[in-house]
């Protein structure tokens, strides 16, 4: 497993979620090499690339440094056996993934339940992976009901996860209404700050204060070069989960540089 710095309070984290992109292994290789080039020499930021799992092994082989880690976009909770189409934590680890995104809203939209998410979180954490648990409300309402929705989602997704696993956990707050849009339609730093306090309080109620404060909180949802500075300076976050902007090496490189300066 590669060494990463997010336990270190000073190190921020920028995670690229490539989703089901790009089209071919050779395009994935090109994109990875371009990103590697763009972030060469940047300090104080750990970068994690989460490509489609089919490309992961090959990208891992292209890289021997420690600045970049790799992650999967999902994982199954069983260790092995007759589960066609699934991959276990040890399988994704064996091709180089030390992180795994679990409970992304796009998977939840395909039917993944909080219960399934919690089983995946437990299995991946037990296998020693760093789990990026995604939570986020679909929409907001004036009366603040979305806060209860979010609280329920976080608590249910962490059902049965023991405090001893908190060190494996990262939370990605990704309001669904902000995903795949543009910087000016995303949340702003002050609003994000309120949400990180809210999420931190829920984590404290689950894990206790000491452990809860060890869990990094990331933001995702149209994080772009145009808004990450405001979000990192005012949002009280530890980094970003970046979707569309991670498919353009220039934008992604800019995001990593801005975070390193902040
Ligand atoms: P976006 O995606 O940056 O394209 O909004 C973020 C995500 O879905 O993780």
């Amino acid at each position: 497993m590669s060494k990463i710095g997010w336990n270190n309070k000073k190190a921020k984290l920028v995670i690229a979620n490539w989703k089901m992109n790009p089209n071919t292994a050779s395009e994935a290789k090109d994109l990875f090499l371009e990103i590697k080039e763009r972030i060469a020499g940047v300090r104080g930021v750990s970068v994690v690339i989460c490509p489609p799992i089919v490309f992961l092994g090959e990208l891992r082989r292209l890289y021997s440094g420690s600045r970049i880690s790799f992650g999967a976009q999902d994982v199954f909770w069983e260790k092995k056996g007759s589960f066609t189409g699934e991959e276990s934590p040890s399988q994704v680890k064996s091709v180089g993934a030390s992180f795994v995104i679990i409970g992304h809203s796009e998977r939840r939209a395909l039917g993944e339940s909080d219960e399934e998410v919690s089983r995946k979180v437990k299995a991946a954490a037990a296998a020693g992976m760093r789990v990026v648990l995604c939570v986020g409300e679909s929409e907001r309402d004036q009366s603040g009901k979305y806060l209860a929705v979010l609280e329920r989602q976080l608590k249910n997704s962490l059902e049965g996860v023991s405090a001893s696993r908190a060190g494996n956990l990262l939370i990605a707050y990704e309001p669904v209404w902000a995903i795949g849009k543009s910087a000016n339609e995303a949340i702003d730093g002050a609003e994000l700050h309120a949400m990180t306090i809210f999420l931190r309080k829920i984590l404290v109620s689950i894990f206790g204060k000491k452990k809860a404060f060890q869990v990094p909180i990331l933001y995702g949802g149209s994080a772009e070069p145009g808004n990450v500075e405001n979000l990192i300076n005012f949002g009280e976050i530890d980094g970003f989960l970046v979707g569309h902007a991670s498919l353009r090496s220039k934008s992604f490189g800019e995001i990593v540089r801005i975070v390193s300066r902040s």
Side-chain angles (χ1 to χ4, degrees), residues 38 41 44 74 113 135 144 158 166 172 177 187 205 227 235 257 259 261:
R38 297 262 183 198
D74 187 27
S113 67
V135 293
L158 289 173
W177 50 267
I187 202 164
S205 76
N227 61 352
R257 279 172 195 283
V259 171
R261 288 199 302 266

Side-chain angles (χ1 to χ4, degrees), residues 10 17 25 44-45 86 115 165 181 207 236 248 257:
K10 285 194 287 259
N17 176 11
V45 186
E86 302 288 357
E115 199 229 319
R165 301 283 187 220
K181 303 274 175 48
F207 294 131
E236 199 65 33
R248 294 188 302 265
R257 279 172 195 283

Side-chain angles (χ1 to χ4, degrees), residues 102 108 113-122 125 131-135 150-163 165-172 199-207 212 215-216:
I102 295 180
R108 293 177 186 268
S113 67
D114 287 342
E115 199 229 319
E116 290 168 324
V117 169
S118 80
R119 293 178 81 171
K120 292 179 176 185
V121 170
K122 280 177 275 200
V131 173
V132 184
L133 170 63
C134 300
V135 293
L150 192 57
E151 177 168 1
R152 203 162 46 240
Q153 193 185 49
L154 182 56
K155 284 187 167 161
N156 291 346
S157 301
L158 289 173
E159 178 69 43
V161 177
S162 74
R165 301 283 187 220
N168 291 69
L169 198 66
L170 302 90
I171 302 296
L199 292 168
R200 186 74 70 194
K201 277 176 72 175
I202 301 166
L203 289 173
V204 169
S205 76
I206 300 172
F207 294 131
V215 178

Side-chain angles (χ1 to χ4, degrees), residues 17 19 104-106 174 178-181 220-223 241-245:
N17 176 11
K19 308 189 179 183
H104 191 280
S105 62
E106 286 153 14
E174 298 208 302
I179 292 179
K181 303 274 175 48
S222 298
L241 180 56
V242 184
H244 62 269

